[in-house]
């Protein structure tokens, strides 16, 4: 690709699209948004194809000095690449999902989405810590608008809650960043990732970053913005919120907290474990009693993200790679589940689970795809959900079998709440006439769901495509963490094998 | 191309075509494709198995695709074929092919046939992946895959709330077992740094008794804890005591499903797993003791419940549960060959019994309650003879000195004898339990036969039959048939019954030597204890004849209670009231679990949500902050009065504070 600034172009395309959308009518705005996101998807594929696996850590690097020491510094490693792919893949789906559902202020809506794409790609590609900060925080604004303007009846409350929560940590993180740049003498992320901050300072810096990332993640108990935001957001808003915005916290941990503050990460390991264990059990149980489909899936997201955090803080390759796969998988699967909710919401305008039932009869195609995503959410082997969950849990088991045990109970509870949901929606008799009259998926909806289904299976059967680009980056991170990594609680003692006697050889017998 | 690739992937391909084609493809095409796929797999499986029987076992591993590579952990898709796999291959493909064929007749009226056949084939694929696994994770893939298929098939008639609930229950209870299985895999990886089964089995013996590990704060023997965790998985899938509650409910699925999944194949996956990992279990004597105990306990528990049930399928379901217990305690005492042998023969005669029951149900307009059967011997004679073959096999009819008997005679007697021969206390316990369970087996099996095929017709009482003849008992008067005469099932249902009958009669006699006495057949695919198998043949005659004696006792009791003195069962039930109710209500396991787990889960969910999230976090979090801000704004408003002098005062105070801070 040479000096072709592909990352900047990927930002520019949706930005221009967003500006154009502001001035266009509904019909053209939709088309412009779709084309812009598809171009970005194509550019993303080009990015992936040209990414040199096992080559330099940072690729497609761009650097231009701006005013006062600020730098336009872009570049990606495998981790960023995968998250960018997730974003550009979900974006056209979001535009497609809004095609008919959004009828008011379409131009502004499309502009908000395209702006969001700019900011998300920017967040994952930024190589300057302040540039990252700007993208990271600015991403809130379009989401805030999407919920606040195109949301449901309680949208104002939800958008304020969303904003208040997510802003909470930002200030602290910004102060920490200023201190770090001052101390290390650089604002370049790759350099900061290799800088050894004094252990005492790491504690405070880690906490400042944690305040921001824990909310974004979201970790229990700062998760309550998520159900509210999801319930009020339009379908596409939920998809992007669950699909990409929830990955910002995980990305923050893996890009900043872990490599920059390894000692502090180990120091606070048990905080993460404790909150995650609570999250898995508590939010899964809460999901079990929900009557609102979106709330149920939102709570399940909190439980899944807890698997991500324990995986990240298991300080080994399986945990780290597993967490990345859980993030990618959850982005696809929960996005698809929100689309599934959207499909029937568009028909009946209610999220109340009890208003549906027996949809397998009148919507067989829908039932099959919904089942596939349900199973992927449960972590059935062969789907993307399993690979990530399995590796994360295998990683955490090496640190603490107790944490692994508690988190693995999530597979039981997850099966319970998802199958209970599926049974109430797709099984049973058609007790509501209007639900029974709903038509099956149309062509547009098939085009939204089928590609996600294909990728979910691909990632489940041959995850190597997704693991390979990240492998060397995870290895570097693992090596950096090695000096602080905890020993694990297994204390395996192999012992000398007993001498083989006649008796032992014949076993039981008489 | 290696035949195993076709054996495994033909059913998958057929399932995809039939499933995605569904209604567009049409019933006949979907059924033909899936059934042809299975017969192809079956035809390719038998030569592999027979070759090993006659020429000794061999081992091949066919790599398929890389799966996961993460640090030091890596596992791939691969198909492993050795003697143990070969046994499972013929069991799975044969029963599955016959069940496919049988379903042509059984499901003929169903509007959703392509979906049904696609699920059946999908199940077969997952089961084949399970038994051909070369690493623990692929085994887990198959494990969960069959769980999915089982979920789909139990819930096949999803309009019935009971079917939908049973499907969820099956999946979730199995997940409890899977929790153990997953932790077992993690632990095994931690200890051996691999998930490859051959590598683990090679390294395991050296660990016996000398290695320790901490698990959840407890310092334990490494092999014991690993094997116990894995065994919890086996308990879930094979419906062993404690995790068995899903199996009887699984009878909500169509009967061919019960025959294939909940009798012959999926539920035996746990036994297969223990046998596959037998060198590992051999290195953990304590775990083997637990396996023996749980197996024996299940064997007895399920048999006691089986004697009291009225639903024909539930009787057979509890019977399956009980027979699985036999297999487990055989494995527990170290006779993996005997466990696999019983798995093999059981697959034939239990599938036969289920399909036979299906034929009865088919003839009786989906009436499953045996109280409304009776005298069907003359109405559906072919089904009767097939069921008879199955019953003779399960009760273990045969004579030791002649060396002749039905399939179950060879395998079940081998298990009872080997438990005695093992000489351990646990083995002896299992022996006595096994003998008592054999008595009960004989009783409930013959009870089923007598209630169904002997006596007078009682079906006018049945609502299902009343619907078809439009008569109530009063109108029918003396004629308890109500003018309804059941019809024998069509040929496509009778042929599978015939084939399985041959298996139920002959499978034991033909293959006993290979399974029990030939280390060369197993060729290292299981831990084969020659010493123990030799000791098995040397047990005293009273042990060898004990199973036959109790079988006759059970038969006599059944004849007495259900043919000669039909008032006896009710009287006995009344006399032992509480015990009868305890058994009839399946030892109250469902009620207990409902009370201990299901209700508290929902209650906790509501508490965490309303009290936790809404009542505490939101109240003191964002809502609290919003409240504080709006209150604060009231005071702030007072400060911002607009009067210059108050601003000046505040400025002055600030200045003083700032200066004093700098000076100090």
């Amino acid at each position: 690709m040479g000096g072709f600034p592909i990352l900047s172009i990927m930002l520019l395309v949706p930005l221009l699209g967003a500006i154009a959308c502001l001035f266009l009518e509904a019909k053209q705005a939709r088309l412009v948004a779709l084309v812009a996101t598809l171009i970005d998807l194509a550019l993303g594929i080009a990015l992936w194809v040209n990414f040199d696996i096992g080559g330099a850590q940072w690729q497609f690097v761009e650097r231009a000095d701006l005013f006062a020491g600020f730098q336009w510094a872009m570049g990606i490693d495998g981790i960023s690449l995968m998250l960018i792919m997730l974003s550009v893949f979900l974006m056209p789906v979001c535009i497609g999902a809004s095609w008919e559902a959004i009828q008011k202020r379409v131009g502004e809506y499309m502009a908000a989405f395209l702006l969001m794409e700019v900011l998300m790609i920017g967040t994952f590609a930024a190589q300057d810590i302040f540039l990252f900060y700007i993208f990271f925080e600015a991403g809130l604004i379009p989401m805030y608008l999407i919920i606040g303007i195109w949301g449901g009846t309680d949208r104002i409350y939800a958008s304020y809650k969303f904003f208040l929560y997510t802003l909470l940590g930002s200030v602290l993180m910004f102060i920490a960043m200023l201190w770090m740049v001052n101390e290390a003498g650089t604002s370049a992320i790759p350099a900061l990732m290799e800088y050894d901050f004094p252990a005492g300072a790491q504690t405070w810096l880690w906490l400042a970053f944690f305040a921001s990332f824990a909310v974004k993640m979201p970790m229990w108990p700062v998760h309550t913005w998520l159900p509210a935001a999801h319930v009020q957001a339009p379908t596409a808003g939920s998809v992007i919120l669950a699909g990409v915005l929830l990955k910002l916290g995980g990305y923050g941990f893996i890009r900043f907290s872990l490599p920059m503050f390894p000692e502090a990460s180990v120091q606070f390991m048990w905080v993460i474990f404790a909150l995650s264990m609570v999250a898995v059990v508590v939010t899964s149980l809460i999901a079990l009693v929900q009557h609102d489909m979106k709330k149920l899936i939102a709570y399940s997201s909190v439980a899944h993200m807890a698997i991500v955090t324990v995986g990240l803080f298991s300080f080994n390759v399986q945990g780290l790679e597993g967490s990345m796969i859980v993030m990618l998988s959850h982005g696809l699967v929960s996005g698809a589940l929100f689309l599934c909710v959207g499909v029937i919401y568009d028909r009946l305008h209610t999220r109340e689970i009890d208003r549906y039932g027996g949809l397998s009869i009148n919507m067989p195609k829908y039932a099959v795809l919904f089942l596939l995503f349900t199973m992927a959410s449960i972590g059935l082997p062969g789907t993307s959900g399993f690979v990530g969950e399995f590796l994360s849990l295998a990683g955490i088991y090496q640190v603490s079998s107790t944490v692994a045990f508690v988190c693995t109970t999530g597979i039981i509870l997850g099966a319970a709440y998802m199958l209970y949901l599926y049974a109430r929606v797709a099984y049973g008799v058609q007790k509501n006439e209007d639900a029974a009259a709903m038509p099956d998926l149309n062509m547009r909806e098939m085009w939204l769901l089928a590609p996600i289904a294909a990728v979910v299976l691909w990632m489940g059967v041959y995850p190597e495509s997704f693991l390979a680009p990240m492998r060397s980056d995870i290895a570097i991170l693992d090596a950096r963490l090695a000096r602080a990594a905890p020993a694990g609680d297994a204390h395996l003692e192999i012992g000398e094998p007993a001498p083989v006697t006649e008796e032992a050889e014949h076993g039981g017998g008489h | 191309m290696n035949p195993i690739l076709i054996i495994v992937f033909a059913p998958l391909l057929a399932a995809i075509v039939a499933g995605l084609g569904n209604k567009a493809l049409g019933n006949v095409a979907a059924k033909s494709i899936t059934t042809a796929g299975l017969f192809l797999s079956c035809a390719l499986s038998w030569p592999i198995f027979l070759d090993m029987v006659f020429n000794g076992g061999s081992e091949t591993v066919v790599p398929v695709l890389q799966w996961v590579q993460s640090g030091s952990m890596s596992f791939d898709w691969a198909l492993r074929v050795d003697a143990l796999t070969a046994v499972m291959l013929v069991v799975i493909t044969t029963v599955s092919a016959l069940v496919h064929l049988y379903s042509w007749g059984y499901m003929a009226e169903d509007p959703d046939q392509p979906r049904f056949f696609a699920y059946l084939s999908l199940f077969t694929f997952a089961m084949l992946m399970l038994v051909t696994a070369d690493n623990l994770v692929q085994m887990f893939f198959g494990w969960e895959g069959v769980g999915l298929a089982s979920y789909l098939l139990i819930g096949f008639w999803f309009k019935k709330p009971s079917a939908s609930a049973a499907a969820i229950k099956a999946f979730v209870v199995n997940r409890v077992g899977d929790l153990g299985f997953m932790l077992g895999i993690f632990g095994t990886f931690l200890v051996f740094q691999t998930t490859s089964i051959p590598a683990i089995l090679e390294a395991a013996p050296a660990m016996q008794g000398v290695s320790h590990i901490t698990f959840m704060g407890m310092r334990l023997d490494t092999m014991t804890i690993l094997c116990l965790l894995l065994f919890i998985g086996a308990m879930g899938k094979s419906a062993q005591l404690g995790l068995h509650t899903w199996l009887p409910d699984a009878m909500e699925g169509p009967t061919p499903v019960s025959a294939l999944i909940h009798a012959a194949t999926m539920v035996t996956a746990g036994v297969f797993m223990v046998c596959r990992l037998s060198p590992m279990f051999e290195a953990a004597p304590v775990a083997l003791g637990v396996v023996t105990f749980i197996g024996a306990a299940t064997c007895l528990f399920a048999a006691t419940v089986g004697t009291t049930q009225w639903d024909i399928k539930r009787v057979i379901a509890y019977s399956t549960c009980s027979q699985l217990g036999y297999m487990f305690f055989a494995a527990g005492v170290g006779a993996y060959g005997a466990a696999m042998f019983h798995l093999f023969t059981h697959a034939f005669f239990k599938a036969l019994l289920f399909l036979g029951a299906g034929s009865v149900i088919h003839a009786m307009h989906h009436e499953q309650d045996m109280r409304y059967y009776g005298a069907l011997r003359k109405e559906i004679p072919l089904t009767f003879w097939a069921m008879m073959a199955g019953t003779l096999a399960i009760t273990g009819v045969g004579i030791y000195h002649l060396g002749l008997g039905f399939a179950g005679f060879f395998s079940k007697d081998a298990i009872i004898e080997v438990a005695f021969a093992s000489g351990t206390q646990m083995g002896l316990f299992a022996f006595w339990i096994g003998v008592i369970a054999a008595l009960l087996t004989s009783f409930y099996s013959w009870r089923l036969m007598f209630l169904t095929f002997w006596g007078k017709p009682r079906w006018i009482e049945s609502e299902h039959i009343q619907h078809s003849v439009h008569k109530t008992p009063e109108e029918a008067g003396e004629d308890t048939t109500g003018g309804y005469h059941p019809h024998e099932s069509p040929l496509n249902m009778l042929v599978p019954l015939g084939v399985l009958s041959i298996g139920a009669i002959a499978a034991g006699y033909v293959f006993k030597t290979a399974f029990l006495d030939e280390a060369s057949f197993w060729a290292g695919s299981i831990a084969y204890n020659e010493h123990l198998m030799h000791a098995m043949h040397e047990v005293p005659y009273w042990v060898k004849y004990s199973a036959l004696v109790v079988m006759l006792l059970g038969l006599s009791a059944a004849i007495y209670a259900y043919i000669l003195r039909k008032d006896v069962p009710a009287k006995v039930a009344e006399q032992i009231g509480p015990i009868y109710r305890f058994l009839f209500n399946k030892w109250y396991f469902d009620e207990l679990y409902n009370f201990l787990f299901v209700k508290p889960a929902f209650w906790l969910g509501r508490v965490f949500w309303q009290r936790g999230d809404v009542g505490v976090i939101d109240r003191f979090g964002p809502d609290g902050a919003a409240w504080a801000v709006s209150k604060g704004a009231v005071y702030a408003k007072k400060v911002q009065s607009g009067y210059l002098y108050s601003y000046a005062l505040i400025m002055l105070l600030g200045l003083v504070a700032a200066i004093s801070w700098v000076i100090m």
Side-chain angles (χ1 to χ4, degrees), chain B residues 102 106 157 251 253-256 258 311-314 316 353-370 373 376 380 383 387 452-453 464-465 484 486-487 489 493:
Chain B
Y102 180 93
Y106 193 82
W157 286 319
M251 296 302 127
T255 308
S258 313
D311 184 315
I312 187 167
K313 283 182 74 182
R314 287 200 179 231
I316 307 178
L353 284 170
F354 261 121
L355 293 185
S359 182
V360 173
I361 294 166
H362 187 75
M364 298 299 286
H365 281 261
H366 290 267
E367 176 58 75
Q368 299 190 7
D369 194 322
M370 295 190 294
Y373 289 171
L376 289 173
I380 43 174
T383 303
M387 290 285 278
T452 306
F453 293 107
H464 296 260
I465 303 293
Y484 177 75
H487 291 287
S489 298
M493 289 169 70

Side-chain angles (χ1 to χ4, degrees), chain A residues 157 161 223-224 299 321 490 509, chain B residues 70 158 214 216 422 613 618 623:
Chain A
Y157 172 73
K161 201 170 180 183
H223 65 282
T224 60
Y299 274 110
E321 292 190 338
Chain B
S70 171
F158 57 79
T214 304
M216 293 179 67
S422 73
D613 272 22
D618 276 354
D623 297 354

Side-chain angles (χ1 to χ4, degrees), chain A residues 405-470:
Chain A
F405 172 79
V406 175
C407 292
T408 312
T409 56
I411 70 165
I412 305 171
L413 297 168
Y417 63 71
M418 283 311 291
L419 292 181
Y420 187 42
L421 168 69
Y422 188 78
R424 283 179 290 172
V425 172
Y427 283 0
V429 289
Q430 296 173 303
K431 54 182 188 264
N432 302 307
E433 270 177 41
D434 42 1
M438 298 195 302
D440 205 351
L441 297 178
N442 61 30
M443 214 47 172
R444 179 181 62 86
E445 289 158 340
M446 275 305 270
W447 271 106
L448 300 179
L449 290 171
I452 305 183
V455 179
V456 164
L457 290 175
W458 174 17
M459 203 185 286
V461 174
Y462 190 69
E464 181 62 14
S465 311
F466 305 89
L467 284 167
M470 299 189 293

Side-chain angles (χ1 to χ4, degrees), chain B residues 57-70:
Chain B
S58 63
E59 181 187 309
T60 37
V61 178
V62 182
V64 179
L65 185 72
Q66 182 182 3
W67 190 7
V68 170
Q69 153 82 50
S70 171

Side-chain angles (χ1 to χ4, degrees), chain B residues 491-568:
Chain B
L491 202 61
N492 45 24
M493 289 169 70
L494 292 175
V495 169
L497 289 180
V499 176
L500 288 170
S501 298
I502 296 171
I505 294 166
Y509 181 76
V510 175
F511 295 106
K512 66 174 191 297
T513 326
F515 276 89
L516 296 176
D517 300 327
E518 281 181 7
S520 66
F521 168 66
W522 293 112
S525 60
I526 58 169
Y528 185 84
N529 187 340
E530 215 158 324
H531 200 60
L532 179 62
M533 298 321 277
H534 182 69
M536 179 188 87
H537 291 297
E538 304 295 315
V539 295
Y541 282 126
W542 69 267
V543 174
K544 286 185 190 293
Y545 277 97
S546 59
L548 184 67
V549 171
V550 295
M551 190 281 289
L552 291 172
L553 279 176
L555 172 63
S556 328
I559 292 177
Y560 181 72
Y562 293 96
I563 293 186
L564 301 178
R565 295 281 308 278
K566 288 183 199 148
D567 54 331
V568 167

Side-chain angles (χ1 to χ4, degrees), chain B residues 31-269:
Chain B
K31 290 194 286 190
S32 307
I33 290 168
T34 49
T35 311
L38 254 300
F39 272 92
L40 175 66
S41 289
C42 182
L44 291 171
S45 298
W46 275 95
I48 296 177
F49 172 65
L50 291 177
D51 179 54
M52 292 201 195
V53 169
F54 295 119
N55 302 328
S58 63
E59 181 187 309
T60 37
V61 178
V62 182
V64 179
L65 185 72
Q66 182 182 3
W67 190 7
V68 170
Q69 153 82 50
S70 171
S72 56
M73 181 184 256
S74 82
F75 40 86
D76 297 337
W77 302 104
L79 304 177
R80 174 189 183 79
V81 184
D82 56 15
L84 184 62
T85 304
V87 173
M88 296 304 288
L89 284 184
V90 293
V91 166
I92 296 161
T93 56
T94 308
V95 177
S96 180
L98 293 172
V99 163
H100 273 77
L101 179 61
Y102 180 93
S103 304
W104 281 66
Y106 193 82
M107 302 298 284
E109 315 275 300
D110 201 279
D112 249 346
Q113 293 174 49
R115 188 163 64 90
F116 181 77
F117 280 78
Y119 288 170
L120 278 187
S121 289
L122 177 72
F123 165 78
T124 313
F125 162 71
M127 190 70 204
L128 290 169
M129 286 299 276
L130 195 167
V131 298
T132 54
D134 196 38
N135 61 60
L136 287 173
V137 191
Q138 186 183 326
M139 191 189 272
F140 192 68
F141 165 82
W143 198 264
E144 295 283 282
V146 293
L148 167 67
S150 163
Y151 166 81
L152 293 171
L153 284 164
I154 295 169
F156 180 74
W157 286 319
F158 57 79
K159 285 178 217 167
K160 282 200 304 191
S162 57
S164 166
I168 296 181
K169 185 173 175 185
F171 201 97
V172 174
V173 174
N174 264 296
R175 275 271 158 141
V176 177
D178 295 346
L179 169 74
F181 195 170
M182 264 179 109
L183 291 174
I185 297 177
F186 299 151
T188 310
F189 174 73
L190 181 86
V191 173
F192 297 101
Q193 286 299 305
T194 176
T195 57
S196 154
I197 292 172
I200 294 165
L201 298 187
E202 198 180 331
M207 307 281 285
Q208 180 174 354
V210 294
S211 171
H212 295 87
I213 195 168
T214 304
F215 178 75
M216 293 179 67
M218 296 170 286
R219 195 78 186 145
L220 298 162
D221 179 68
T222 306
M223 294 315 294
T224 304
I225 185 65
L226 292 185
C227 289
L228 285 179
L229 286 171
L230 292 168
F231 179 61
I232 291 172
M235 283 173 66
K237 196 102 309 184
S238 292
Q240 293 299 287
L241 190 61
L243 295 179
H244 67 280
T245 53
W246 64 273
L247 184 59
D249 290 27
M251 296 302 127
E252 289 289 342
T255 308
V257 172
S258 313
L260 175 60
I261 301 186
H262 306 120
T265 57
M266 183 185 84
V267 288
T268 62

